[in-house]
Amino acid sequence: MPVGPVRAVRGRAAHRERGLQRSPCLRHGRLFALGARSPYFPRPLEGRKARPRTRLEPTTMEAKPGPDLERMRHSCSHVLAAAVLKLFPDAKLGVGPATDTGFYYDIQTSVPLTTEDLPKIEAEMRKIRERKLPLVRSEVPVADAVAFMQKTGQSFKVELLELLATRGSTAAKGLEDPNLVDAGAGGVSSVSFYTLGDFTDLCRGPHVEHTGQVGAFKLTKLAGAYWRGDSRNPQLTRVYGTCWANEQDLKAYLHRLEEAEKRDHRKLGTAMGLFHIQEEAPGTVFWHPKGWTLFRTIERYMRSRLEADGYAEVKTPQLVDRIFWEKSGHWENYRDAMFVARPGKEGEEEDRLYAIKPMNCPGAVQIFRQGQRSYRELPLRLAEFGACHRYEPSGALHGIMRVRAFTQDDAHIFCTEDQVPAESRKFCDLLRVIYRDFGFADLLVKFSDRPEKRAGSDETWDKAEAALEKGAKTAGLETVRNPGEGAFYGPKLEFVLRDAIGRDWQCGTLQVDFVLPDRLDASFIGEDGAKHRPVMLHRAILGSFERFIGILIENYAGRLPTWLSPIQVRMVPIADRHVDFAREVARRLTASELPQTDGGIRVDVDDTAERMQKKIRNAQLEQIPYMLVIGDKEAEAGKVAVRLRSGRDLGTLAVEDVIARIRAETETRADIVDPPAPQQAPNQAKAP
RNA sequence: GCCGCAGUAGCUCAGGGGUAGAGCAGCGCAUUCGUAAUGCGCGGGUCGGGGGUUCAAUUCCCUCCUGCGGCACCA
């Protein structure tokens, strides 16, 4: 029942619900509003075609909720509220809008709601639906509305009414209601009520005619939600529900949820033997051999791309005196989120307090500051696979996606102001190539400009924004404006990629920084012989390795492309007498030099006492791209029978041919010989 | 951090005030097999930690930890 949206909930892309919620770097509400006009890359990059990808979603329904479905869901939230009020007469209502897949209502009760209440509420809702109660709209003067809500004890509604009366909008936390821009600064003089039986709610509407038109629904979960999205406010109980035109659609939706769950990187990652997390180290990852192989493969790849693009790699200390962080400004802003460390000796005189680095940039500045820099050295690109620690709030932790220790593919480019556009462009080009190599074709770029609270003069910001914009433009990027969301020190581009099931993940960033060089006194000698401040570009492409690997796992549902697979080939000897030959083939594969690898093709031998069928089954379950079967025929001919994880049989090949295939495949970083079968049309960037 | 839920074998899960169970995995033996599960046998648990109630707690209560779903946060 949004009187005015408390959050921007107008977007409708299917990915919103699950995608953004799992994409912790996004300002949710903000992107929702932007989702409607996503300028994905206007044209495909030359060279390689986007890989076809499997796609679970969406049904037509979910892709295009349409006004009817949305209206129905909105009405369903009123039915929910009416049911709750019947069961809990003292309940105070907050807001209850429709969402992408259903609705919710924020409710405060004297006795907290529990999941056991949900079936009771559902039953009550069904009764209301059966009674086909009309939803009747009425226009009410604000004063009367306030009086009514006061009388019925609906204090949150009173608060909303007061906001409407004074501001004409209920928008919270700077989220403006696009539908109310014309309301002007003044407030409204009357509001609309909707009455459903003996339940009357403040609401803008529209609604279905009667409750019998509400479709198949199910209450799905309970969660706390701060009133008006502000953690200083009391927390209400948010009852979530999903609602569909009919039972079939509801079932289909629940099924899709299950399917998406199967991609969960926490489940898959553990099952694939990549990593684990345990209680004693919350929010930090134990990388197992296979997971670390994947990590290193990505790192090696990134390193080669960066080197080719003129970056030099550095490594800066983990542990730096607190004083340093005070200088950089981090202590002041992020002290609560920083880990600190003291020497273990107790009672010693020296009692310096160190902090584990939460970011790499101040360290990079120190390297820049050593000796005297010349303009001839610029742009100086310093890359660091920096391991950072941040004490993230416990509730934010999520598998390896949101952790307290992570490794960024970070780099800092020191340059002149004039060089910013060219450097931006160069970076955007690199980023696109890299995303493409990982199989992501869809990209959304946000341009976050000056925030209200900022450092630097307006002229500086004009320059910085213009430079960044020019860079984006020359890189051929279309951007969505993300007003007021820049860093306090400068504007940023934010790169959001879309995965195989349509979820968005913000990964890359490019930030222009005029502040830190000044704070940490970085300078270079210009052509004119005078000292100048460099501009600093902060940039990352993957974001964090941990999170990006999580995204890869979910995107590919564990079925990583060959170049990324920790094990690329599984030798399957049919009987014990074939093991020796299998081992020999494995040695030859290992000895073959693949691009981007340390040790050639990654292969292992299944020499267990299992039957060949079982070995193949195991290899399938492990999603190993190549299975090389060896029996009497192969051993005799010195060849191998090649099976792909798609189930395709390539027949019997010479070992050299297999090596050549895998080499070609890893060079192009695509599954050439074993393309995943698209379940539906390849993912298209839809303009909702 | 806040609200709700959960924690039982390596994994998935059942059970329940009176010495804990299945499937898979593991180990052993047999089998040596032609493209997604060979058979038989064996071992395995402070029932997340601490405290309380009780003759007796894995089960009930309190508390802490961790995880899950949201909210808030995300340099």
Side-chain angles (χ1 to χ4, degrees):
Chain A
M1 84 76 266
V3 170
V6 167
R7 308 189 60 102
V9 287
R10 290 308 103 185
R12 59 170 69 129
H15 58 267
R16 199 175 82 193
E17 176 94 354
R18 285 180 307 291
L20 291 189
Q21 281 165 1
R22 288 196 187 172
S23 178
C25 280
L26 297 173
R27 298 252 178 209
H28 299 189
R30 183 63 69 184
L31 186 62
F32 290 2
L34 295 167
R37 285 164 295 279
S38 313
Y40 289 87
F41 273 136
R43 56 190 147 75
L45 284 175
E46 318 304 323
R48 301 231 328 270
K49 267 169 74 177
R51 246 168 272 170
R53 292 174 299 169
T54 54
R55 196 168 159 74
L56 296 171
E57 330 236 18
T59 64
T60 326
M61 269 301 192
E62 193 170 342
K64 294 179 185 143
D68 291 348
L69 200 47
E70 190 176 324
R71 174 188 303 215
M72 192 186 76
R73 286 170 176 159
H74 186 181
S75 300
C76 200
S77 84
H78 279 237
V79 174
L80 165 64
V84 170
L85 277 175
K86 183 137 200 187
L87 297 168
F88 306 89
D90 66 342
K92 289 185 182 181
L93 302 175
V95 296
T99 67
D100 253 7
T101 56
F103 58 91
Y104 65 79
Y105 217 119
D106 288 348
I107 298 164
Q108 191 178 58
T109 48
S110 50
V111 186
L113 292 175
T114 71
T115 42
E116 283 158 26
D117 297 319
L118 294 184
K120 293 179 221 158
I121 299 171
E122 271 183 6
E124 197 58 42
M125 288 172 72
R126 266 184 229 108
K127 276 190 217 163
I128 295 170
R129 184 173 57 186
E130 275 158 35
R131 288 169 62 195
K132 300 189 175 168
L133 295 169
L135 283 127
V136 182
R137 181 189 167 99
S138 54
E139 247 347 273
V140 188
V142 170
D144 295 358
V146 171
F148 175 81
M149 289 303 176
Q150 271 169 346
K151 199 183 77 193
T152 48
Q154 292 296 346
S155 48
F156 295 115
K157 300 291 183 186
V158 173
E159 204 176 310
L160 292 176
L161 282 165
E162 276 158 6
L163 285 164
L164 282 170
T166 52
R167 297 210 323 235
S169 160
T170 57
K173 289 195 95 179
L175 287 175
E176 297 309 322
D177 179 351
N179 297 323
L180 287 176
V181 266
D182 295 331
V188 298
S189 56
S190 71
V191 295
S192 59
F193 272 6
Y194 274 84
T195 302
L196 182 173
D198 50 9
F199 165 57
T200 295
D201 200 358
L202 168 67
C203 183
R204 187 176 48 194
H207 281 283
V208 295
E209 288 157 28
H210 61 82
T211 55
Q213 290 171 352
V214 168
F217 60 81
K218 181 175 160 54
L219 298 183
T220 50
K221 56 197 168 194
L222 289 178
Y226 297 108
W227 171 238
R228 296 174 55 68
D230 191 328
S231 56
R232 290 166 300 190
N233 287 341
Q235 200 167 44
L236 314 190
T237 304
R238 178 168 296 178
V239 184
Y240 280 94
T242 185
C243 179
W244 299 85
N246 52 56
E247 285 294 333
Q248 277 172 328
D249 285 0
L250 174 62
K251 255 190 176 165
Y253 166 70
L254 296 174
H255 179 69
R256 278 199 305 285
L257 281 190
E258 281 170 32
E259 289 299 310
E261 241 171 69
K262 288 185 194 159
R263 294 178 169 250
D264 192 316
H265 76 279
R266 294 164 297 195
K267 264 197 162 129
L268 281 174
T270 313
M272 292 162 76
L274 302 182
F275 57 80
H276 83 272
I277 293 177
Q278 68 186 43
E279 276 198 25
E280 292 85 345
T284 52
V285 185
F286 288 77
W287 288 103
H288 296 199
K290 285 181 198 167
W292 194 241
T293 298
L294 173 58
F295 192 108
R296 282 188 302 124
T297 301
I298 296 170
E299 188 178 72
R300 195 182 302 119
Y301 163 76
M302 292 303 290
R303 189 168 277 139
S304 73
R305 284 280 182 216
L306 290 170
E307 271 170 17
D309 237 38
Y311 288 80
E313 190 178 327
V314 298
K315 200 77 174 174
T316 64
Q318 287 302 123
L319 222 46
V320 185
D321 196 301
R322 179 186 82 199
I323 311 285
F324 179 74
W325 302 109
E326 284 172 356
K327 245 185 257 172
S328 73
H330 289 89
W331 193 256
E332 189 191 340
N333 287 318
Y334 296 107
R335 194 250 168 285
D336 286 349
M338 287 169 73
F339 285 98
V340 295
R342 259 178 225 287
K345 292 185 206 168
E346 251 177 85
E348 295 280 316
E349 299 246 326
E350 188 199 40
D351 202 16
R352 290 172 79 176
L353 188 62
Y354 295 84
I356 305 174
K357 69 172 172 183
M359 290 187 80
N360 306 303
C361 35
V365 176
Q366 301 317 302
I367 292 176
F368 183 86
R369 273 168 43 86
Q370 295 309 111
Q372 235 174 23
R373 296 291 179 181
S374 153
Y375 72 95
R376 290 176 207 271
E377 293 178 70
L378 307 186
L380 182 67
R381 309 184 188 93
L382 299 180
E384 175 167 11
F385 296 112
C388 296
H389 289 73
R390 296 177 187 173
Y391 189 76
E392 302 284 4
S394 58
L397 301 181
H398 178 89
I400 63 171
M401 298 270 206
R402 187 84 185 267
V403 285
R404 288 181 174 153
F406 52 90
T407 310
Q408 291 177 313
D409 65 315
D410 205 359
H412 300 91
I413 302 171
F414 297 87
C415 60
T416 65
E417 263 178 62
D418 296 342
Q419 288 168 336
V420 171
E423 284 304 305
S424 303
R425 189 212 153 125
K426 193 174 165 64
F427 169 71
C428 292
D429 287 347
L430 175 66
L431 174 134
R432 288 200 287 190
V433 167
I434 288 173
Y435 283 173
R436 174 113 341 187
D437 278 346
F438 282 106
F440 298 105
D442 295 337
L443 185 67
L444 164 67
V445 187
K446 296 188 286 174
F447 188 101
S448 299
D449 59 19
R450 64 191 77 187
E452 270 176 44
K453 267 184 74 181
R454 58 179 181 264
S457 67
D458 285 352
E459 295 81 64
T460 309
W461 274 89
D462 288 342
K463 266 191 288 189
E465 287 173 2
L468 193 55
E469 231 163 328
K470 200 172 158 196
K473 205 166 185 177
T474 46
L477 295 178
E478 269 182 47
T479 60
V480 182
R481 206 71 178 189
N482 197 16
E485 293 293 318
F488 71 92
Y489 49 74
K492 47 183 180 178
L493 293 179
E494 283 162 342
F495 300 88
V496 181
L497 51 84
R498 179 163 285 186
D499 76 6
I501 58 172
R503 298 175 303 181
D504 285 351
W505 305 93
Q506 183 175 316
C507 294
T509 181
L510 172 64
Q511 309 171 3
V512 183
D513 180 3
F514 287 90
V515 173
L516 211 54
D518 200 53
R519 275 195 114 130
L520 298 177
D521 192 26
S523 64
F524 67 92
I525 306 299
E527 217 169 338
D528 56 3
K531 263 192 180 181
H532 296 274
R533 284 265 179 257
V535 179
M536 198 172 169
L537 301 179
H538 305 242
R539 38 111 299 163
I541 293 174
L542 309 181
S544 100
F545 278 73
E546 286 77 4
R547 181 159 173 274
F548 194 76
I549 288 173
I551 294 169
L552 284 175
I553 293 169
E554 301 209 352
N555 179 61
Y556 287 108
R559 195 176 182 286
L560 295 167
T562 303
W563 76 281
L564 289 170
S565 285
I567 298 177
Q568 298 166 313
V569 177
R570 164 74 42 87
M571 300 304 306
V572 181
I574 290 177
D576 284 351
R577 63 180 176 280
H578 308 122
V579 169
D580 282 345
F581 181 55
R583 291 218 173 96
E584 196 201 313
V585 174
R587 269 193 296 275
R588 286 173 64 188
L589 296 180
T590 306
S592 71
E593 283 188 20
L594 279 195
Q596 318 287 336
T597 59
D598 288 337
I601 294 170
R602 298 184 288 269
V603 54
D604 66 6
V605 181
D606 188 345
D607 56 2
T608 59
E610 294 297 342
R611 295 172 64 199
M612 177 255 253
Q613 285 89 335
K614 183 63 178 289
K615 293 180 182 180
I616 286 174
R617 176 179 154 82
N618 286 342
Q620 284 293 148
L621 293 175
E622 289 174 59
Q623 309 268 36
I624 295 171
Y626 286 84
M627 285 154 253
L628 303 189
V629 179
I630 290 174
D632 289 335
K633 283 183 283 179
E634 289 76 16
E636 206 171 305
K639 294 186 168 184
V640 290
V642 183
R643 178 197 163 101
L644 306 178
R645 63 185 160 186
S646 63
R648 215 171 120 201
D649 187 351
L650 291 188
T652 304
L653 297 176
V655 177
E656 298 78 59
D657 293 343
V658 175
I659 291 173
R661 272 172 187 277
I662 296 176
R663 177 171 289 150
E665 196 173 335
T666 46
E667 255 166 22
T668 54
R669 297 187 189 82
D671 282 344
I672 301 171
V673 290
D674 184 20
Q679 289 176 1
Q680 286 178 28
N683 184 21
Q684 306 292 333
K686 276 169 291 300

